[in-house]
Amino acid sequence: MRRTAPLLPALTAALLLTACGAERAGTHDGGVGASGSAPRTAVSQPAVHGVRITSVTIPSASASASASASHSVSASPGAGGGMVRAEPLPTGTPAGSAGSGVSADYEVVNSTAGALTYTVLFVFTSDDGGAMSNRKVTVGPVGPGRTVRGTVRPEPLPPGAPPVTGVKVAEVTSVPAAEAPAEADACPPSGIRVTADDGDAAMGLRVVGLFLENCGDRDYTVKGYPGLTLLDDDRQPVDGVTIVHGGGGIATVTGFDDPPRTVTLAPGERATSGLMWRNTTGFGTAVGVPYVRVRARPDAAPVMITPHLDLGTTGKLAVSAWRAAAEPQGTRATASP
């Protein structure tokens, strides 16, 4: 079962929209906007960890929407005033598909002293508040005191789906830009890319996969377990949680109790590891760990992931050893005791 990111009520700013007296929308931020009949409505809502929706565009039921675009946002020098604009990437949303023409303009303000990379989960909703489409957007790096503005649009909806009438900021995480996971089309100077999946959950058991990809031009060798530092909402170390190598009695999961092996990855090859825990809550205070700093090996540059570990009161997190991952094209990774 796929584990979805929690929609925290304190972090949610729901925006129910109407068309009366609203400003007309056009092409903005370099993207293709809705048709001339779709209003863009300015909104005033409190920011969620520095992220705020500034306006929304909802076409009328009879409006014919143009092909829409989604924005993968990155910082670029602004013209002045500390503003940084986003660059659009077209998604090929079919014109006239359900949800086409719906968009939300947002801004991300970094009021801290260091550059951050943000991950923002936007949820587009129907009249009854049901989630119709989720969009996760990576914004950054955003320098200290800088602002990034962008536009987000929902995925195309299936025929007959209720129209989108609202949008909310459901979740925001931010990591130091130097420790942000590299995008799929980018390779960091280290030559390795560390990422995590969204995880699986069943009967209170949680498993998140870790992936180590050699995106450089020379072999890369790991042996043993990823180095982990658990961090709280302020990205400070969490006390009272034991990290165990192997399953640690939490559950029997294939591969978790395999002994460490030397894994040598040729360029383009991958290794996998995993995190496992239970979210059981008994006596005491439940522990949540939104951030985990990962080092592929002791001398590796740190990468900060956001698995949102809901450890309950168990006080235990299991990690498996790195092992070679088979690739669809075949793998040359070698493993030895």
Side-chain angles (χ1 to χ4, degrees):
M1 180 172 68
R2 191 78 166 170
R3 181 164 66 92
T4 58
L7 306 184
L8 304 180
L11 300 182
T12 301
L15 306 175
L16 297 181
L17 314 173
T18 59
C20 299
E23 177 184 353
R24 296 289 182 182
T27 300
H28 55 282
D29 279 342
V32 179
S35 66
S37 61
R40 180 173 62 188
T41 305
V43 296
S44 178
Q45 293 288 334
V48 178
H49 294 302
V51 181
R52 185 173 70 89
I53 295 175
T54 58
S55 67
V56 293
T57 300
I58 303 292
S60 63
S62 59
S64 58
S66 302
S68 64
S70 176
H71 287 67
S72 175
V73 185
S74 59
S76 58
M83 294 299 180
V84 183
R85 292 277 178 181
E87 298 297 334
L89 294 176
T91 62
T93 303
S97 64
S100 179
V102 176
S103 67
D105 295 337
Y106 63 89
E107 66 179 19
V108 179
V109 180
N110 180 5
S111 58
T112 72
L116 297 175
T117 295
Y118 294 77
T119 300
V120 186
L121 178 65
F122 295 93
V123 177
F124 292 84
T125 61
S126 59
D127 268 339
D128 62 4
M132 304 304 299
S133 178
N134 294 341
R135 275 289 196 180
K136 187 173 284 188
V137 178
T138 299
V139 185
V142 183
R146 306 286 288 182
T147 296
V148 166
R149 290 175 175 169
T151 301
V152 62
R153 293 178 170 84
E155 296 281 0
L157 304 180
V164 170
T165 59
V167 60
K168 57 190 177 184
V169 176
E171 184 179 82
V172 178
T173 55
S174 58
V175 304
E179 298 185 35
E183 297 293 328
D185 59 350
C187 187
S190 64
I192 62 169
R193 183 185 296 116
V194 176
T195 56
D197 63 19
D198 290 334
D200 293 313
M203 300 297 290
L205 180 67
R206 309 283 197 258
V207 178
V208 166
L210 297 181
F211 304 92
L212 168 63
E213 180 183 356
N214 181 358
C215 56
D217 56 7
R218 64 185 64 184
D219 288 357
Y220 190 85
T221 299
V222 290
K223 182 177 182 179
Y225 302 85
L228 307 177
T229 303
L230 309 185
L231 305 172
D232 61 18
D233 286 318
D234 297 319
R235 298 184 293 277
Q236 297 300 309
V238 173
D239 296 323
V241 177
T242 301
I243 298 174
V244 297
H245 290 169
I250 295 175
T252 301
V253 174
T254 301
F256 254 82
D257 288 305
D258 290 353
R261 302 170 69 88
T262 298
V263 179
T264 299
L265 303 175
E269 295 175 344
R270 298 197 309 165
T272 64
S273 175
L275 308 180
M276 179 170 64
W277 72 97
R278 289 192 181 276
N279 71 336
T280 307
T281 300
F283 294 104
T285 302
V287 175
V289 179
Y291 301 95
V292 177
R293 179 177 281 123
V294 180
R295 292 182 186 270
R297 63 188 191 190
D299 64 343
V303 175
M304 195 176 296
I305 61 172
T306 55
H308 297 279
L309 309 179
D310 52 343
L311 299 175
T313 55
T314 60
K316 185 187 289 188
L317 174 68
V319 58
S320 63
W322 289 117
R323 60 177 178 172
E327 295 291 344
Q329 297 81 9
T331 178
R332 292 171 46 223
T334 59
S336 59

